[in-house]
Structures are given as C-alpha cells and as structure tokens.
Amino acid sequence: MSLPLKIAIVGPESTGKSTLARQLADFFNTSLAQEVARVYLSELNRAYTKEDLSAIARLQMQEEDIARKNAKDVFFADTNLLVIKVWSEYKYRHCDPWILENMNLPDYDMHFLAGTDVPWEFDPQRENPFQREELYDIYRRELEEAGVLFHELKGNAEKRLSDAVIATKILLFACS
C-alpha cells in the first residue's frame, strides 16, 4: 500500500454511502470522489440507458483522478466501477467491456460495503427498494471473488462512521 490510500464505499442504493463518504472525507480532512451518476442523471432529459452507464463510468474515473490529486493520506470514493458493473448486469444483464477492463478492484486499498439494515428512503433516482438484500449479496460475492480487502458496515450511521474511521486508521497505521 502506498499513500494516498484509496477507499471506496459500495453497496445497494439507500444504504448511506454518500453520507458516509462525506463524513469520512471531512473527518480525515481529505478529498472525496463524489458519485457523478446523481448529477449526470439529474441533467438527463430522458430515461437513462445502458450506454449512459458507460459514460457515467468514465466520468467516475475522472472524478477519482481529481480526488487522488487533491488527497492527503487517504481519499474516499462515493462509489466506483463495481457499483456500475453490478447495476448494469442487474438491470440490463450486460456490462460494457470497458467497465470490466477498467474496474480494477485491487487498486483500492479497502472497500466499505454498506449494509441494508438502514431504512430505504425515497429518491427519484432509486429503483429497487425491495431488492437491496439481493444486491447486497451480489456486492459481497463480487468483492470476495476479487479477493480484495473489504469491511462490512452495519448498524446506525454513528456506528458505521466509527467502524469506518477505525478501519481507515488501521490502514493508515499499516502504511506508516
């Protein structure tokens, strides 16, 4: 591992990923690669397609590059290409090969997998309130099969933040 550490928050929709990513970036006084899909989809004047997911993936990688350049010892990504892959395969039964080629999960020093034990909240961009457990299992399986370091975050927002801070501090200590 080398600095800055690269940590992604992944998991099904409405599991507190964006909130946690902002909290972690604030706590560690560092940069955040925000989820670009929200802005992209809000500016789209039509229903999105699987081709839009490829465009979002490219923009997400650009967002990570910016966050990395502005990072101190660590930076957080409020999603990554794994999220786009899982969603693409779940919704369209297909994923753009470019996404698969560029996903590179081992590049991340840690993934935080957000659990579904928080209430689902309505948002016009959310589509699957009843499939969160199924999607969670897919994320977990993908991370296990990739053989990458990940930590499952469960409990209320305070517990998730506390657990993520501790895990991040341990990684930072291991790099020093």
Side-chain angles (χ1 to χ4, degrees), residues 6-9 107-112 149-151 167-168 171:
K6 183 177 181 180
I7 299 176
I9 296 96
D107 272 2
Y108 295 85
D109 297 293
M110 169 80 80
H111 283 82
F112 290 132
L149 185 62
F150 73 97
H151 184 77
T168 301
L171 278 179

Side-chain angles (χ1 to χ4, degrees), residues 80-96:
N80 66 5
L81 297 191
L82 172 62
V83 174
I84 299 169
K85 173 196 185 284
V86 168
W87 185 245
S88 184
E89 290 177 345
Y90 189 81
K91 183 171 177 104
Y92 297 109
R93 304 288 179 236
H94 174 267
C95 184
D96 181 330

Side-chain angles (χ1 to χ4, degrees), residues 52-64:
D52 288 311
L53 297 180
S54 299
I56 290 167
R58 285 173 170 79
L59 292 169
Q60 191 64 48
M61 288 193 67
Q62 290 173 6
E63 181 75 7
E64 281 190 21

Side-chain angles (χ1 to χ4, degrees), residues 24-60:
L24 287 167
D26 288 346
F27 183 90
F28 288 97
N29 191 29
T30 193
S31 57
L32 166 66
Q34 296 188 52
E35 180 186 26
V36 299
R38 289 205 153 272
V39 173
Y40 183 97
L41 295 175
S42 69
E43 294 175 353
L44 205 57
N45 293 321
R46 59 174 170 74
Y48 73 91
T49 65
K50 68 180 175 180
E51 289 75 22
D52 288 311
L53 297 180
S54 299
I56 290 167
R58 285 173 170 79
L59 292 169
Q60 191 64 48

